[in-house]
C-alpha cells in the first residue's frame, strides 16, 4: 500500500483541499512553491504511462479538478498569477510515489525549462 492509498483511507493525516467520488487533493508535505497541491485519483493507477483508455474520463476529471482548485484559490489569473501542473513518470521524471498524482504549483514565478 502506498502512502497515498493510506491518505485516501484516512490512515495518515493530510491537509485536504478537495475531495469527491473520484479524487482527492491535498497539500504536499514538502512544498516546492507557496502553493503545492497534489491531485490524485482514488483508483490506483501507478503512473500516467499505465493509464488505460478506460481511464479517459477519470484523467479529464483530474485536470478539470486541478483547474477548479486553482480558480477557487484565485491563482488562475493569467496576468497576475498563474500556476503549473506537473506529472512525474519514472526515474528520470522524478517520480517517488507510485500512485498517479498531478502537482499543482503556484505562488512564485516558475522557471522554464524545469530542473
Ligand atoms: P513525485 O516525486 O512526483 O512522485 O511526488 C511525490 C510527492 O509526494 C512529493 O512532492 C512529496 O513531497 C509528496 N508526499 C510524500 N508523502 C506525502 C504525504 N504524506 N503528504 C503529502 N505529500 C506527500
Amino acid at each position: 500500500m502506498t502512502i497515498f492509498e493510506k491518505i485516501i483511507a484516512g490512515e495518515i493525516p493530510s491537509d485536504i483541499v478537495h475531495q469527491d467520488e473520484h479524487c482527492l487533493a491535498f497539500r504536499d508535505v514538502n512544498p516546492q512553491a507557496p502553493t503545492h497541491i497534489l491531485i490524485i485519483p482514488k483508483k490506483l493507477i501507478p503512473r500516467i504511462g499505465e493509464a488505460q483508455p478506460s481511464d479517459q474520463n477519470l484523467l479529464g476529471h483530474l485536470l478539470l479538478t486541478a483547474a477548479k482548485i486553482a480558480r477557487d484559490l484565485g491563482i488562475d489569473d493569467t496576468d497576475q498569477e498563474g500556476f503549473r501542473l506537473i506529472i512525474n513518470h519514472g526515474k528520470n521524471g522524478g517520480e517517488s510515489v507510485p500512485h498517479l498524482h498531478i502537482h499543482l504549483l503556484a505562488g512564485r514565478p516558475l522557471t522554464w525549462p524545469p530542473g
Side-chain angles (χ1 to χ4, degrees):
M1 202 181 202
T2 69
I3 193 141
F4 289 176
E5 285 174 282
K6 290 180 182 165
I7 287 175
I8 292 167
E11 289 175 12
I12 62 170
S14 63
D15 187 355
I16 294 171
V17 298
H18 171 90
Q19 174 153 213
D20 63 43
E21 187 186 345
H22 301 293
C23 72
L24 186 67
F26 51 93
R27 293 191 186 275
D28 196 295
V29 76
N30 181 24
Q32 301 302 309
T35 297
H36 188 170
I37 292 167
L38 302 172
I39 300 102
I40 71 172
K42 289 186 172 173
K43 171 187 173 182
L44 174 57
I45 299 172
R47 54 195 59 82
I48 189 63
E50 289 171 47
Q52 301 298 313
S54 58
D55 295 318
Q56 181 165 321
N57 285 350
L58 177 58
L59 296 177
H61 179 70
L62 295 176
L63 284 175
L64 290 171
T65 299
K68 181 183 183 316
I69 291 169
R71 237 179 0 260
D72 291 348
L73 293 174
I75 55 172
D76 63 325
D77 183 312
T78 52
D79 293 327
Q80 302 299 322
E81 291 275 347
F83 59 91
R84 182 173 292 170
L85 302 180
I86 299 163
I87 298 175
N88 296 326
H89 176 114
K91 188 176 170 210
N92 280 357
E95 174 198 318
S96 63
V97 179
H99 185 122
L100 177 63
H101 47 283
I102 300 175
H103 295 259
L104 166 58
L105 290 166
R108 65 172 173 84
L110 299 162
T111 57
W112 190 263

